[in-house]
Amino acid sequence: MERLEKFEDWARACMHVRCGFCRENCPAYSQLQLDTYAAKGKMTILYHLLKGKLELDEAVAERVFACTSCGLCDVACGYNQSEAIHEMKTVLYDQGVAIPEGYMKVSTKTRESGNPYSVDANEGARFLQSLPESELSTADYTLFLGCTQIYRESNEIGSLLKILRAAGVSFRIPTEQICCGSPAYRVGDEAQAREQARRVTNLFERMESDNILVSCAGCYRMLIHDYEILLNDDAKFKITHSMEFLQELVQDDKLKIRPLNAIITYHDPCHLGRHSGVYEAPRQILSSILGVKLVEMEWNRKFAKCCGAGGGFRSGRGEDAIAIAANRVREAEATGASILVTACPFCLRNLRDGAQSVNSQMKIESVESLLAELV
Amino acid sequence: MLDHSKLEKSLIDIVGTKYVSSELCDRLVYSKDYSIEGIADDYTPDIIVKPGTVDEVAEVVKIANQMNVPIYTWGGGTSMSGNPLAVEHGIVLDMKRLNQVLDVDPDNLTITVQAGTIIENIYNAALDEGVFFAHHPESSLSSTIGGALSCMGISIYGAKYGYVYDQVLAMEVILSSGKKIRIGGKSYLSLPTHNLLNLFLGAEGTLGIITETTLKVYPKPPTRDRISYGFPDITTAIEACKEAHAAGCWPETVFLFDRRSLVQYMERSKTPIPDEVSMAVLFGASGCIEMVETTLAVIAKCSKEQGGSELPQDITQSWWNSINIGKDTFDQSNFALSHTEYEPDLVDACVPLSRFQEYSDFCDDLKKEFGWVDIDFGAFIVGGPRGPIPFCIYFSVPIDTRIKAEVDKWFQFKERMYRRALEMGGSLSNANGLGLRSSPWVQDQLGSAWDLLTDLKSLLDPKNILNRGNRGFSS
Ligand SMILES: Cc1cc2nc3c(=O)[nH]c(=O)nc-3n(C[C@H](O)[C@H](O)[C@H](O)COP(=O)(O)OP(=O)(O)OC[C@H]3O[C@@H](n4cnc5c(N)ncnc54)[C@H](O)[C@@H]3O)c2cc1C
Ligand code: SF4
Ligand code: SF4
């Protein structure tokens, strides 16, 4: 509980003002409907946990875990309430409170198999080793690929590799598949996340890589922000997200891109946008394609609504996550766009499922997959 | 004795499991609004229910009646005076699933919505059809129209367009028996007898539950702009407003903040405020460009004549952004940030216009008497709906609620302030509703008219189930 005390001021401010600005855009509230599910509710819980009026029990865990960690409430509030919510998840986890099964699975699977999908890690390693860049012993960049890309969206990897190769980028790929730890971290399993952070850091050290390229928004946030907290150490590597990297390639004319006549809208992944401040690079890439008209959704950039997949929500509450994605797809449809593009494999999957659930004709692509078709 | 499990089962039968909760962690979320009252006592309801249709609302009310359980209607829960708090526990009825914009009619300048609709959504739905909905509180993103109609509601555009009451053409209300009535219609003056709307407007959920309303919208003004002026005191600021009125100006925004309030509102933008400013006024005008420019030019002249000096443009802009919280200014609210160290509550009173300064001076003296010398207080005044003439003054009093003695002192302070307002020929203000905060003096103010009000309450709500024990009515 001590860990929560540092948020007492924020909880008290919320208990006092009760403004509710965090509520209407909260993906968890939009699905689950009681005020408790918005940050306002979760901060109320925190306040009463500290006061001793509530205990860390199953009902509290159910409410607290229903959070995609999207951070939209932070923007409304002024306090980073999502940090406090994350801390509550960690405390609930550490105290051994029965946390909802779907979220818990993310942790147990990572602990057992080394990845949140429970796939045999050798399978991932075999896949990586099949890529020629894994045989290189030196290169300018090391491309770190995440579990969702490897085990669920391997086409995405194909697209990214095609672009990097076309642009003549010097990069190599690790032969080992190690989860960055983000899924476990977001469901409160800090110990396992720390373990993953150590493993990934060791991997980079062994490879003597200090220039890391990442194209999963979740891995990126983890590597660029959370490792410093988890390992209590300064950043050791230069981490670049593929969006910024590709934007430079485009800007430097390193890629020949065919025109595309289409109206496109872009969904900001929370981990990449709100949490890491990368808003413009993907937009610049898309706008640079001849014939593309880039249009914005009503809620974009810092205010972008969440796709519903983050924070273990997709594992914990699959149907709700997909329903949230469907709402985001509807928002995209309202722009008149025919393609909804994003820059996170997790968002991509969830948005595709969301679109399918409402029979939307919207085509859902990642920046990489769209670009790969045009180079 | 209330049979909790029977009540819960009955409510689940009406709305389904997802929308009913008796978990303590949910009930606590619905037990506090802005007011310090909500911290000083326990207003935790027994159960939360969130119906999705008008018929479900009626069914819930019938159950409450049958089982004699009080029912507290809850919109956004953003009210400031303890208005929706479950004084006698019982049911909290969350209205936010009744959130449909039913009809926007630009030809007849009306919009019809369900009562749980968030105000910002009404505003945007109107704009989508090219018309302008004028009730825009600072809490537009989170409060409901039902809540606004129930506790007056001041708009940032109120100086030109009036209170939220002025926007209403019709309402559908569920009475405490569960019976549904409709008052008014789409055309103006659809009220051939007494204006029965007034029975439910500002009733804070004590006389009926509003489920639907038809509201006025206006042709959208093509432009709007603002200026702000700093004044040495309240009197000169008010004189400038009166002169602007005499000159024929009809601004839409007239907000007066003292220095402390302004500092609070600059929390996010960190815009510095010139030393000499003691009272500042934000004037906003809308219309065609010539009208806006002329209005602001005349207001500037009137302000200067009263010793006012124009405030820098970035103060005007930050000020406006922080009260005009909407889709584009989602990250501009200072509310939470400015409420960590102390927790201000309001004294919500009206005194005759000529005595605003005197009342403010009284507040300063009282503050000293209470030993609150090191705490800054905020006062703010709002203009409307009679043009740029201010009508209502609030004092924000920051209390450290962790210290019980401070909370007790706040209650004593509040009493002195309200009593003083009444002695000065003033009134408890209905601007945030009376709720629990202002209602202890309502009988004193109304005298024998209070009996009429309680008779009406008994007639409309014989079992006293609607917001039982709140707004001065008996438990
Ligand atoms: C940050 C902030 C800024 C604010 N700015 C303003 C402002 O600029 N102007 C202003 O006027 N107020 C403002 N307020 C106060 C508050 O937002 C308003 O009073 C608002 O109208 C309350 O609406 P609500 O939906 O939150 O109602 P609630 O707080 O849920 O309820 C208010 C009262 O209305 C009753 N009620 C709610 N819905 C219904 C219904 N359908 N039928 C019958 N009774 C009902 C409740 O029982 C209660 O008595 C602000 C509050 C905050 C926190
Ligand atoms: S982080 Fe996102 S899902 Fe979690 S409470 Fe905030 S807005 Fe809701
Ligand atoms: S925005 Fe912040 S202060 Fe306001 S209700 Fe949400 S968490 Fe509380």
Side-chain angles (χ1 to χ4, degrees):
Chain A
M1 207 63 96
E2 265 169 38
R3 289 187 63 159
L4 298 179
E5 270 163 21
K6 61 176 181 281
F7 300 109
E8 196 264 348
D9 272 356
W10 300 4
R12 207 160 38 80
C14 175
M15 276 316 280
H16 181 54
V17 304
R18 312 263 82 196
C19 69
F21 289 148
C22 55
R23 192 190 60 232
E24 293 298 309
N25 291 330
C26 168
Y29 170 79
S30 73
Q31 266 316 104
L32 304 169
Q33 287 291 311
L34 292 181
D35 287 5
T36 323
Y37 290 98
K40 173 180 181 173
K42 289 159 180 155
M43 295 316 286
T44 310
I45 290 178
L46 178 51
Y47 176 85
H48 287 294
L49 284 172
L50 292 173
K51 285 248 163 209
K53 198 159 181 177
L54 281 176
E55 285 174 13
L56 293 166
D57 61 16
E58 235 174 289
V60 162
E62 196 268 350
R63 306 319 186 256
V64 172
F65 272 83
C67 166
T68 68
S69 305
C70 73
L72 196 46
C73 50
D74 305 347
V75 176
C77 181
Y79 292 113
N80 290 341
Q81 305 291 32
S82 66
E83 265 177 41
I85 298 167
H86 173 78
E87 201 76 359
M88 278 197 270
K89 288 184 184 176
T90 310
V91 169
L92 281 158
Y93 186 97
D94 286 348
Q95 301 275 318
V97 175
I99 61 177
E101 196 191 342
Y103 299 91
M104 196 59 198
K105 274 190 183 156
V106 175
S107 154
T108 30
K109 284 178 175 177
T110 310
R111 282 172 178 251
E112 284 163 14
S113 66
N115 64 72
Y117 298 111
S118 260
V119 186
D120 181 352
N122 292 324
E123 196 183 301
R126 275 198 299 277
F127 170 78
L128 292 174
Q129 285 158 18
S130 72
L131 303 171
E133 287 82 358
S134 68
E135 287 166 15
L136 299 176
S137 54
T138 56
D140 293 348
Y141 295 93
T142 295
L143 175 63
F144 180 78
L145 296 167
C147 311
T148 307
Q149 292 169 298
I150 296 175
Y151 301 120
R152 293 290 183 271
E153 297 287 344
S154 55
N155 288 346
E156 288 300 307
I157 299 179
S159 300
L160 177 62
L161 295 182
K162 184 179 172 194
I163 303 167
L164 295 179
R165 287 169 188 159
V169 177
S170 154
F171 69 99
R172 60 185 181 138
I173 293 173
T175 51
E176 265 177 81
Q177 197 278 316
I178 305 177
C179 172
C180 71
S182 169
Y185 192 42
R186 309 273 164 241
V187 297
D189 188 354
E190 193 177 79
Q192 190 59 28
R194 184 171 296 114
E195 177 56 29
Q196 297 301 130
R198 279 202 199 103
R199 289 185 196 168
V200 171
T201 307
N202 283 342
L203 173 76
F204 293 156
E205 280 169 352
R206 269 186 280 126
M207 290 179 74
E208 295 178 0
S209 310
D210 43 21
N211 230 347
I212 316 292
L213 203 55
V214 189
S215 88
C216 166
C219 299
Y220 180 67
R221 179 186 180 191
M222 197 69 181
L223 265 62
I224 202 160
H225 298 294
D226 300 323
Y227 277 16
E228 284 180 43
I229 303 167
L230 284 168
L231 301 176
N232 200 11
D233 202 355
D234 291 341
K236 286 187 176 155
F237 315 100
K238 182 171 185 288
I239 313 286
T240 309
H241 190 268
S242 57
M243 286 305 108
E244 291 179 315
F245 192 75
L246 296 183
Q247 195 271 328
E248 275 186 29
L249 292 182
V250 168
Q251 197 180 309
D252 298 345
D253 267 341
K254 296 261 171 63
L255 287 168
K256 293 234 167 318
I257 308 170
R258 285 195 301 278
L260 174 74
N261 275 326
I263 303 177
I264 293 183
T265 188
Y266 174 73
H267 165 78
D268 292 274
C270 305
H271 287 327
L272 189 63
R274 230 174 345 260
H275 300 137
S276 309
V278 180
Y279 298 111
E280 297 313 319
R283 290 181 166 80
Q284 284 163 1
I285 298 172
L286 295 170
S287 308
S288 72
I289 305 172
L290 220 63
V292 162
K293 184 174 170 215
L294 185 66
V295 290
E296 292 294 346
M297 280 187 265
E298 192 174 352
W299 297 87
N300 62 69
R301 293 187 171 82
K302 193 174 166 191
F303 299 171
K305 287 193 182 172
C306 172
C307 78
F313 204 82
R314 195 179 147 102
S315 317
R317 295 180 169 275
E319 281 180 22
D320 292 316
I322 290 171
I324 294 165
N327 289 337
R328 189 67 174 154
V329 171
R330 291 275 184 244
E331 205 187 320
E333 283 175 344
T335 64
S338 61
I339 312 177
L340 167 59
V341 176
T342 188
C344 164
F346 221 50
C347 296
L348 183 73
R349 254 169 85 68
N350 208 43
L351 290 169
R352 280 187 177 152
D353 290 346
Q356 199 182 13
S357 74
V358 290
N359 294 323
S360 169
Q361 296 306 305
M362 180 69 72
K363 209 172 153 201
I364 312 220
E365 297 281 350
S366 68
V367 174
E368 282 100 335
S369 58
L370 189 84
L371 211 57
E373 284 171 30
L374 303 173
V375 293
Chain B
M1 265 297 278
L2 174 61
D3 183 342
H4 282 96
S5 56
K6 186 174 166 210
L7 175 65
E8 183 158 4
K9 187 180 173 309
S10 311
L11 295 176
I12 289 174
D13 286 346
I14 300 169
V15 301
T17 333
K18 178 174 175 184
Y19 301 106
V20 176
S21 176
S22 57
E23 283 291 349
L24 181 60
C25 60
D26 295 323
R27 295 186 285 121
L28 285 169
V29 178
Y30 293 84
S31 70
K32 164 90 179 54
D33 70 349
Y34 184 92
S35 66
I36 287 181
E37 270 72 8
I39 278 193
D41 213 331
D42 177 16
Y43 299 111
T44 315
D46 296 312
I47 198 157
I48 317 294
V49 59
K50 191 168 180 181
T53 64
V54 180
D55 288 344
E56 286 179 5
V57 174
E59 289 306 309
V60 170
V61 173
K62 282 181 197 158
I63 293 289
N65 229 320
Q66 275 164 23
M67 297 184 72
N68 191 18
V69 195
I71 190 164
Y72 297 86
T73 308
W74 190 280
T78 67
S79 53
M80 304 197 114
S81 319
N83 321 61
L85 300 189
V87 180
E88 299 265 309
H89 315 294
I91 302 170
V92 157
L93 176 83
D94 184 338
M95 291 294 288
K96 290 191 292 294
R97 276 175 76 212
L98 274 80
N99 59 4
Q100 299 303 305
V101 174
L102 301 169
D103 174 48
V104 190
D105 185 347
D107 294 337
N108 291 303
L109 293 175
T110 65
I111 187 165
T112 301
V113 300
Q114 289 188 303
T117 311
I118 301 300
I119 292 176
E120 188 69 9
N121 295 348
I122 303 176
Y123 177 80
N124 287 320
L127 276 190
D128 286 347
E129 298 297 325
V131 282
F132 174 65
F133 176 58
H135 182 62
H136 205 275
E138 210 181 306
S139 55
S140 173
L141 270 179
S142 54
S143 60
T144 65
I145 188 66
L149 296 177
S150 302
C151 41
M152 192 148 136
I154 290 164
S155 169
I156 53 175
Y157 305 112
K160 179 169 167 182
Y161 297 94
Y163 309 124
V164 71
Y165 298 172
D166 298 316
Q167 317 306 333
V168 187
L169 290 168
M171 282 196 311
E172 177 186 85
V173 180
I174 300 290
L175 300 176
S176 74
S177 60
K179 185 176 169 185
K180 182 166 81 182
I181 59 162
R182 273 184 175 273
I183 311 163
K186 245 191 182 186
S187 65
Y188 278 48
L189 307 176
S190 296
L191 299 158
T193 61
H194 287 87
N195 185 342
L196 288 173
L197 292 172
N198 278 342
L199 209 48
F200 301 99
L201 292 172
E204 298 173 48
T206 56
L207 301 182
I209 298 171
I210 305 164
T211 45
E212 192 187 298
T213 175
T214 299
L215 304 153
K216 298 173 194 171
V217 288
Y218 301 88
K220 187 173 162 293
T223 52
R224 43 174 46 103
D225 201 0
R226 286 153 291 274
I227 47 168
S228 59
Y229 267 79
F231 293 89
D233 52 26
I234 295 178
T235 306
T236 45
I238 290 181
E239 280 310 311
C241 293
K242 281 158 72 178
E243 276 185 30
H245 192 281
C249 297
W250 208 257
E252 57 177 8
T253 306
V254 178
F255 266 46
L256 291 77
F257 279 17
D258 73 350
R259 189 177 179 82
R260 158 74 208 173
S261 297
L262 210 50
V263 168
Q264 183 189 326
Y265 273 71
M266 297 296 153
E267 185 82 36
R268 263 190 172 177
S269 59
K270 305 279 176 225
T271 318
I273 297 155
D275 288 343
E276 65 280 9
V277 175
S278 138
M279 198 73 199
V281 190
L282 176 68
F283 294 102
S286 63
C288 67
I289 192 98
E290 296 89 333
M291 183 60 81
V292 170
E293 282 175 358
T294 309
T295 303
L296 295 182
V298 174
I299 286 174
K301 182 171 148 283
C302 299
S303 299
K304 278 185 207 136
E305 279 169 14
Q306 290 300 325
S309 53
E310 190 174 349
L311 298 177
Q313 186 58 38
D314 47 351
I315 290 191
T316 308
Q317 193 54 44
S318 308
W319 191 352
W320 174 248
N321 284 350
S322 64
I323 58 171
N324 178 30
I325 303 294
K327 224 169 39 181
D328 303 325
T329 42
F330 186 53
D331 60 345
Q332 299 286 313
S333 170
N334 296 285
F335 246 77
L337 284 185
S338 58
H339 283 64
T340 321
E341 218 164 312
Y342 294 110
E343 296 145 72
D345 204 339
L346 297 177
V347 170
D348 224 337
C350 250
V351 290
L353 191 59
S354 64
R355 303 186 75 177
F356 274 28
Q357 183 73 54
E358 181 189 340
Y359 192 47
S360 174
D361 294 343
F362 172 79
C363 180
D364 282 344
D365 290 343
L366 199 59
K367 174 190 140 187
K368 286 192 199 112
E369 188 187 319
F370 273 71
W372 286 327
V373 275
D374 54 340
I375 303 177
D376 252 343
F377 285 47
F380 56 104
I381 303 174
V382 185
R386 46 172 177 162
I389 307 280
F391 76 99
C392 192
I393 183 161
Y394 310 80
F395 295 94
S396 162
V397 186
I399 303 297
D400 189 337
T401 55
R402 288 167 294 190
I403 305 165
K404 167 128 190 355
E406 286 289 292
V407 175
D408 293 344
K409 259 164 72 179
W410 150 250
F411 283 106
Q412 291 158 20
F413 179 88
K414 177 179 85 157
E415 167 144 25
R416 296 276 295 277
M417 284 293 287
Y418 280 118
R419 290 220 175 274
R420 181 70 189 154
L422 294 182
E423 283 160 20
M424 289 168 73
S427 167
L428 313 171
S429 155
N430 199 19
N432 282 300
L434 293 186
L436 295 171
R437 181 179 54 223
S438 313
S439 57
W441 304 279
V442 65
Q443 294 190 38
D444 287 357
Q445 187 182 338
L446 286 189
S448 50
W450 175 250
D451 298 337
L452 174 64
L453 195 57
T454 48
D455 287 349
L456 282 170
K457 168 78 173 161
S458 307
L459 185 70
L460 283 160
D461 182 16
K463 284 200 177 168
N464 190 16
I465 60 162
L466 298 176
N467 286 23
R468 184 184 291 169
N470 208 319
R471 208 189 182 227
F473 291 124
S474 63
S475 291

